[in-house]
Amino acid sequence: QVQLVESGGGLVQAGGSLSLSCAASGDTARINVMGWYRQSPGQSPGKQRELVATISRGGWTNYADSVQGRFTISRNNAKNTVYLQMNSLKPEDTALYYCNAVTSFYRNPFWGRGTQVTVSS
């Protein structure tokens, strides 16, 4: 099993920056892809979380169109930690941000508990 703990959320004004971190523990050697997803306020609980960005163990990255050019995902494999640098934040970025880890061994991905990001206008 893999445990994920996010940190770094908070309240920021539009145009500002925040940095999120997610530390993985447990069976970390099996983690392939790590990423960030978000769930906006008022979103239906049944609706899937929105992909923000992912990064492979080798460093390949993928971003949602809505954050491309503003957010940067990075990863430190030695520390089993993934980061999300968020710049030029917009009110529509307000959401609960979840860390995610996918392995080639366990059927289901692992999730953190989430960290709140609130962007005021």
Side-chain angles (χ1 to χ4, degrees):
Q1 301 290 306
V2 173
Q3 296 78 43
L4 302 170
V5 178
E6 304 99 334
S7 60
L11 173 65
V12 66
Q13 287 189 330
S17 299
L18 277 176
S19 181
L20 305 183
S21 299
C22 171
S25 60
D27 204 356
T28 58
R30 300 188 186 275
I31 297 176
N32 290 334
V33 178
M34 297 188 75
W36 292 93
Y37 290 71
R38 67 188 181 187
Q39 191 146 25
S40 301
Q43 192 173 1
S44 168
K47 188 174 180 180
Q48 284 188 334
R49 294 166 182 170
E50 176 191 14
L51 180 147
V52 176
T54 61
I55 184 167
S56 71
R57 179 173 285 276
W60 291 99
T61 59
N62 178 50
Y63 294 93
D65 289 344
S66 58
V67 307
Q68 181 79 45
R70 299 188 298 122
F71 291 9
T72 303
I73 190 170
S74 60
R75 179 172 175 173
N76 186 322
N77 291 326
K79 294 184 177 181
N80 298 310
T81 301
V82 64
Y83 307 93
L84 186 68
Q85 178 64 41
M86 304 182 293
N87 298 328
S88 302
L89 282 160
K90 304 175 181 180
E92 51 263 43
D93 294 318
T94 294
L96 193 56
Y97 283 70
Y98 293 92
C99 181
N100 168 280
V102 176
T103 74
S104 58
F105 182 78
Y106 299 99
R107 173 180 295 183
N108 296 320
F110 296 93
W111 295 94
R113 292 191 173 187
T115 185
Q116 180 67 40
V117 171
T118 302
V119 184
S120 63
S121 57

